[in-house]
């Protein structure tokens, strides 16, 4: 019998390995400066531009981009788990922040950037490898000259809401 002070041993403690590759983020940033936000995101969706390094690190990909709306697909893996056996809340937050920000970006003209001012996340259901493909959809709720409000939702294949967020973004004319 293993006591609480002794680490477990055996197959459950087998080490796993994951490799990560990404494209130079400055090449991606340079491409962004000459394109409006929607065209930039559409090029990521269709593979003409690589996704952001954070997308490959976390394990999500852009699947659609329209004016004011984007969607990402996410495959949960155990490398994203917290110590209690489900996907870490930081992964939820990363996906939701990305969807909110990219939804705002899809509305911006060339040469205009944005940054998140805040992010309010609500965790509604746990995500595990058994959840299957998760979709994260973001859309702009209100856009002004200096700020925009966006909302994003994480759903499973049956459409159940797993988490949601709202974010305010600061619009940055000139990049």
């Amino acid at each position: 019998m293993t006591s609480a002070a002794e680490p477990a041993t055996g197959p459950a403690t087998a080490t796993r390995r994951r490799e990560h590759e990404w494209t130079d983020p400055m090449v991606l940033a340079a491409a962004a400066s000459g394109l409006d936000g929607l065209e930039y995101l559409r090029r990521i969706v269709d593979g003409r531009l690589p996704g952001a390094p954070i997308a490959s690190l976390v394990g999500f990909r852009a699947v659609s981009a329209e004016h004011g709306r984007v969607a990402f697909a996410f495959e949960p893996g155990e490398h994203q788990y917290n110590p209690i056996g489900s996907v870490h809340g930081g992964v939820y937050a990363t996906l939701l922040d990305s969807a909110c920000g990219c939804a705002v970006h899809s509305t911006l003209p060339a040469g205009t950037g944005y940054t998140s001012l805040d992010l309010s996340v609500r965790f509604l259901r746990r995500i595990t490898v058994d959840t299957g493909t998760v979709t994260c959809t973001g859309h702009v709720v209100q856009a002004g000259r200096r700020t925009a409000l966006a909302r994003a939702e994480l759903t499973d294949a049956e459409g159940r809401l797993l988490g949601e967020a709202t974010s305010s973004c600061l619009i940055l004319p000139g990049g």
Side-chain angles (χ1 to χ4, degrees):
M1 178 173 209
T2 303
S3 74
E6 295 176 30
T9 58
T13 62
T15 302
R16 285 125 164 107
R17 182 184 255 0
R18 181 172 184 255
E19 291 188 20
H20 178 237
E21 293 180 356
W22 65 95
T23 303
D24 180 349
M26 299 320 296
V27 171
L28 192 58
S33 66
L35 299 170
D36 67 58
L38 182 56
E39 180 60 23
Y40 176 73
L41 292 166
R42 284 182 172 164
R43 289 184 185 194
I44 292 172
V45 168
D46 69 20
R48 288 181 285 161
L49 286 173
I54 191 66
S56 61
L57 178 66
V58 173
F60 65 94
R61 67 189 181 289
V63 294
S64 70
E66 302 168 24
H67 184 82
R69 180 176 293 278
V70 299
F72 296 107
F74 166 66
E75 298 296 333
E78 65 179 19
H79 63 283
Q80 300 147 337
Y81 276 19
N82 58 29
I84 58 171
S86 60
V87 171
H88 190 279
V91 174
Y92 285 67
T94 299
L95 285 158
L96 292 162
D97 180 56
S98 296
C100 285
C102 287
V104 169
H105 192 189
S106 74
T107 68
L108 300 178
T112 302
Y114 71 94
T115 189
S116 298
L117 290 171
D118 61 33
L119 181 70
S120 179
V121 176
R122 283 152 303 282
F123 307 99
L124 303 172
R125 295 178 190 263
R126 71 192 300 237
I127 298 173
T128 69
V129 295
D130 296 330
T131 303
T133 302
V134 172
T135 301
C136 187
T137 306
H139 68 276
V140 174
V141 174
Q142 175 67 40
R145 289 182 319 140
R146 298 291 295 152
T147 62
L149 175 65
R151 183 170 190 272
E153 297 178 340
L154 285 168
T155 55
D156 66 12
E158 282 77 44
R160 288 181 293 230
L161 188 60
L162 307 170
E164 65 175 7
T166 54
S167 177
S168 299
C169 293
L170 178 65
I171 309 301
L172 304 169

